[in-house]
Amino acid sequence: MDRLTVHPEVQDAMASGRPIVLLESAVTTCGLPRSPWTWDEDAIAGIAPDWRLDQPINLELARMMSATVRAGGAIPATTAIMDGQWHVGLDAADVVALACDETAGKASASTAAGALLGGGRCGTTVSGVLTVAQQMKRVLGNAPEVMATGGIGGVHRGWTDRPDISADLGVIASTPVVVVSAGVKSIVDVPATGEWLETLGVPILGLETAVMPSFIAGVDPEAPAVRSVPSAAQAAALARLHWSSVNPGGGVMLTVPLEGDLVLPRDLVEEANQAAEEAAGDIDGPERTPHLLGHMAQATGGRSLLANIALLVRNAAVAATLAGELGPGSS
Ligand code: PSU
Ligand code: MN
C-alpha cells in the first residue's frame, strides 16, 4: 500500500505543470508555541501584517507560510501524516487540527513508518517531507522539486562523543529537491554540518551570501563558505545543472540569510540557549523542545520567536519564486 494522499489542488498543479512548494509541518507540531503572540504587537505586524493575535502562533505561522507561497505564484503543499496516510496538501481544517493536536509529534525518515502505523497526526521534518517526495516519485512518477523550512537539522555539538546527526542531511543528499532554509537550526555545530554536507556531495548555495547563514543568529565566524547566487533564477539554473550533469538523484541547499534588525547577536542566542538547556534539566522527549523554545523566547523578549517566524516566511517567499524559475519537472 502506498499510503499516499495528494490533495486535488496539488494533483491539478502537478498535471498542469504549475509551480509547487512542499512545506514541512514539524515546525507547526513541535517547533513553535501553541499559544498566541504576547510580545510586541507592532513587531509581529511588521513582518506579517495579517497576523491574528488571538490565534496560536504555530497555526498562524502555518497559514502565513501557505499564503506567502500563494502570493509568490506557487501552490503550497504542506505535508503531514494523518490517519495512517502521507498527506501532500492540507485543507484549512486539517491545518487547524494538526496545529491544535497536543499529541502530534514529528516524523523523520527514521520514525515515519511508526507514525504511519500509529494512526494519529504527525508533523513532518525536512527528511519527512523529502521522504514523501521520494514516495510521490515512486507512485506517481513525479514530485515537486522545491521545499521550504526554517532551518534544517544538523550535526550536534559533542558529535565526537556521540554522532548525533539529523536524518535531514542524508535524505537531502539522496532526494532531488532544492531545500530552502536559513541554514541549520539553533543550536548545532554549523562548521561540522557544512563539512558533513560536503562529504555527502550536497551543493550549498547562498542567496546573496558567500557564508552559510546561522538561522536566527548573526553569522558564525567559522561558518563554511557557500556558493553565492545573486537570484533565485541563478539557483534554479544551478540546480538544473546539478540534476542534468552531476547527480540526478541528489538534493541542493539554498540558504537565505535573515537580515536587518531581526538578526540576534550570537552571544545572546548562545547565552539564552545555555540557560534554556539548564532550565530544561531532565525534561525529556516531546516536552523538551517546546520548553527550550519558550525559555529562549522569554530570555530574548520574544526576539527569538520573531526572528524564527520572519525567516520561515521569507524562505517560503524565496521558495515560491524558485519553484516558478525551475518550471515544470524534468520527469
Ligand atoms: N525550522 C524551524 N523550526 C523547526 C524546524 C525547522 O524554524 O522546528 C524543523 C524541521 O522540520 C527540521 C527539524 O527538519 O526541525 C530538525 O529537527 P531535528 O534537529 O530534531 O533533526
Ligand atoms: Mn539526533
Side-chain angles (χ1 to χ4, degrees):
M1 231 168 69
D2 53 52
R3 301 223 181 201
L4 183 64
T5 302
V6 180
H7 194 282
E9 186 188 28
V10 178
Q11 284 182 26
D12 287 351
M14 287 176 69
S16 60
R18 288 195 60 189
I20 300 170
V21 174
L22 294 166
L23 296 173
E24 60 128 321
S25 55
V27 65
T28 305
T29 57
C30 299
L32 290 171
R34 286 195 180 84
S35 51
W37 180 261
T38 53
W39 313 94
D40 183 353
E41 293 182 12
D42 293 339
I44 192 79
I47 54 169
D50 302 330
W51 191 275
R52 289 179 295 184
L53 292 165
D54 60 341
Q55 298 289 309
I57 292 172
N58 66 336
L59 176 57
E60 269 315 271
L61 185 274
R63 288 178 174 147
M64 286 294 309
M65 283 189 84
S66 289
T68 303
V69 169
R70 281 190 201 284
I75 300 296
T78 305
T79 72
I81 289 175
M82 296 186 303
D83 307 321
Q85 292 275 318
W86 288 115
H87 284 259
V88 183
L90 301 181
D91 283 325
D94 292 331
V95 176
V96 175
L98 187 70
C100 298
D101 183 347
E102 300 206 346
T103 67
K106 60 178 181 182
S108 69
S110 349
T111 58
L116 285 165
L117 198 65
R121 296 188 190 90
C122 202
T124 43
T125 65
V126 169
S127 75
V129 174
L130 298 176
T131 302
V132 191
Q134 292 181 7
Q135 180 73 337
M136 291 174 83
K137 205 115 198 197
R138 282 188 294 267
V139 176
L140 310 170
N142 199 2
E145 293 176 318
V146 178
M147 77 156 291
T149 184
I152 64 165
V155 178
H156 286 259
R157 292 179 182 179
W159 54 270
T160 46
D161 293 331
R162 186 170 60 172
D164 184 353
I165 297 165
S166 170
D168 288 355
L169 304 187
V171 185
I172 290 171
S174 60
T175 315
V177 167
V178 184
V179 178
V180 180
S181 73
V184 202
K185 241 174 34 159
S186 318
I187 265 291
V188 293
D189 187 330
V190 174
T193 305
E195 297 290 357
W196 193 254
L197 285 165
E198 186 186 356
T199 300
L200 292 171
V202 177
I204 310 176
L205 313 181
L207 188 62
E208 293 185 276
T209 181
V211 184
M212 197 199 272
S214 297
F215 197 59
I216 61 172
V219 169
D220 184 334
E222 290 180 66
V226 298
R227 183 179 173 102
S228 177
V229 287
S231 63
Q234 275 294 312
L238 223 137
R240 279 269 168 259
L241 198 60
H242 186 68
W243 293 330
S244 66
S245 312
V246 182
N247 180 3
V252 175
M253 296 259 303
L254 175 60
T255 59
V256 181
L258 180 66
E259 275 165 357
D261 298 349
L262 290 164
V263 179
L264 273 70
R266 293 195 59 72
D267 45 358
L268 176 64
V269 175
E270 193 87 6
E271 266 168 43
N273 197 68
Q274 256 172 28
E277 289 283 353
E278 276 159 30
D282 295 339
I283 302 174
D284 216 350
E287 303 291 295
R288 192 171 175 92
T289 304
H291 194 279
L292 292 175
L293 291 168
H295 202 279
M296 288 269 293
Q298 288 292 345
T300 60
R303 286 177 69 195
S304 61
L305 269 179
L306 194 67
N308 199 349
I309 292 165
L311 64 83
L312 281 156
V313 174
R314 170 100 200 279
N315 295 346
V318 171
T321 308
L322 175 67
E325 293 290 348
L326 268 174
S330 42
S331 52

